[in-house]
Amino acid sequence: MPDKPSVLFVCVHNAGRSQMAAGWLSHLAGDAVEVRSAGSEPEDRVNPSAVRAMAEVGIDIAGQQPKVLTPEAVQASDVVITMGCGDACPVFPGKRYLDWKLDDPAGKDVDAVRPIRDEIRRRVEVLLRELVPAGGA
């Protein structure tokens, strides 16, 4: 299905914000949107507080593995959403770029991660309405 939109979420460590955003979009869009995530300096594992916060809302990101950001991943995506990766994200013409200013959940407990998780959900819902109008997901 060549007209299926694709989204890449990028943060530095690909262990918190981008993983939660990818989890939300995959959960809410089903297979109507292709979802990727990556980081400019990926960690060894997903942030345990992010995993717990997402599990509380029924989304399992425990099996995800942080991935390194590649130019190919950017080039293959229609929308690239950065979350504090600075200038590390390559820019290609014709892509839609958004920068979401969100607190970094690194080193925070699950109580501090919940508001970040909820704000990410709000933004993902808005994005999904733009990508797949009229409940196409």
Side-chain angles (χ1 to χ4, degrees), residues 31-48:
D31 59 3
V33 177
E34 187 175 344
V35 181
R36 299 179 179 89
S37 71
S40 53
E41 298 173 22
E43 288 286 342
D44 295 331
R45 64 184 179 128
V46 176
N47 178 328

Side-chain angles (χ1 to χ4, degrees), residues 6-56:
S6 58
V7 177
L8 170 64
F9 294 102
V10 182
C11 67
V12 175
H13 300 298
N14 190 221
R17 294 167 289 190
S18 56
Q19 292 286 352
M20 289 190 289
W24 274 122
L25 186 55
S26 295
H27 177 76
L28 296 170
D31 59 3
V33 177
E34 187 175 344
V35 181
R36 299 179 179 89
S37 71
S40 53
E41 298 173 22
E43 288 286 342
D44 295 331
R45 64 184 179 128
V46 176
N47 178 328
S49 294
V51 170
R52 281 194 294 279
M54 293 300 285
E56 290 176 354

Side-chain angles (χ1 to χ4, degrees), residues 74-120:
V74 176
Q75 203 157 21
S77 302
D78 299 312
V79 180
V80 179
I81 299 174
T82 58
M83 305 172 194
C85 76
D87 296 329
C89 192
V91 176
F92 291 97
K95 305 295 173 194
R96 179 178 173 203
Y97 290 87
L98 300 170
D99 186 39
W100 289 357
K101 305 274 190 247
L102 296 160
D103 289 338
D104 188 348
K108 293 183 167 66
D109 66 20
V110 72
D111 290 333
V113 173
R114 284 185 193 110
I116 301 167
R117 172 202 66 199
D118 296 344
E119 177 60 17
I120 291 171

